[in-house]
Amino acid sequence: MNLFSYATLASYEWQHPRLLLLLVLVPLLPLLRGLLARRRRQVMVAFGPGGLRPDWRAGLRFAPTIVLALSQVLLIIAVARPQRPSEHLTQTGRGIDIVLALDVSGSMEIEDLKPTRLEAAKRLASRFVQRRAGDRLGLVAFAGQAYALVPLTTDYDLLLDNLRSLRPGLIDEDGTAIGTALGVAINRLRESPAKSRICVLLSDGESNAGSLDPLLAAQLAHAYGIRLYTIGLGEDGYVPFGRDSTTGKPRYVQTRLDETTMRQLAEAAEGRFFRATDNAALGRVFGEIDKLEKSDIRTQRYRSVQDFYRSYLGWGLALWLLWLALKSTFMNNALED
């Protein structure tokens, strides 16, 4: 670190900032000394024929004055007490562990939520993650099988990166294995030391794959003290799904959400079921869950301060001693002193 650069000096906080006003007086002191010298009686010095020859060494008589001025500047900086504070943040209290289980089956490409069901769910889930503070979150993706993509973590950037990477076809086996997805989420949460453990499951269909019955999985979640929120995506009936390759007109497919089962799953694990048929409704669902599951986190800030005056004091005293030494050499103007 360059102690004398502008960037370094500008980065400091000053314990006695008003003392820096004394820096204005530093260049005035030599001027005042010169004015006082002129008021003294003039001493006439006679020189031989031809006078004095110009000599660059005559300019050295200003060196003690410059050294003294630099010493005064550094000593003023030292007594103004330059400091650089740093804050340490600690969070204590009751955190919440949350696993997001998101359906990535082919039906999530349906466009009744804009631009698609999956993209709308990813975007609003990302906002939900960004609103959390101090909680650990995990991510499970499922279609015909289920996989834990992110373990419980407070690295929200990692979670958001994996959330953005979700796409239909990510899992080779298509289908909707809700029971398997809940089983994977339970495995992540069951040994968690958090006082509150949550699974948020988003799906747009009925369970038609996997080896674990969804209702049994919800009962297991309740046994481990895990609360389950289920979110049903999209509308029932005929909804737009891509475009016809020949005519370019929108294609329509029939879709149905097993709302009864989704409600039963939430009730079995002391949670709630939400239906989101458009983007605004899905946004309200995440907002409601965010309000229901608030972390009781207490934030403590510790402020420490590092002093830098010693360096400036040392340089200032060194230049002061140098000035005293220069006064005893040929550089000193004995006629002025």
Side-chain angles (χ1 to χ4, degrees), residues 14-24 76 79-81:
W14 304 87
Q15 187 171 352
H16 307 294
R18 293 182 180 179
L19 291 178
L20 294 174
L21 297 175
L22 295 175
L23 293 173
V24 179
I76 290 171
V79 296
R81 201 76 179 270

Side-chain angles (χ1 to χ4, degrees), residues 8 34 52 82 102 202 251 297 320:
T8 300
L52 290 175
L102 189 55
L202 297 92
R251 290 185 303 167
I297 297 293
W320 184 275

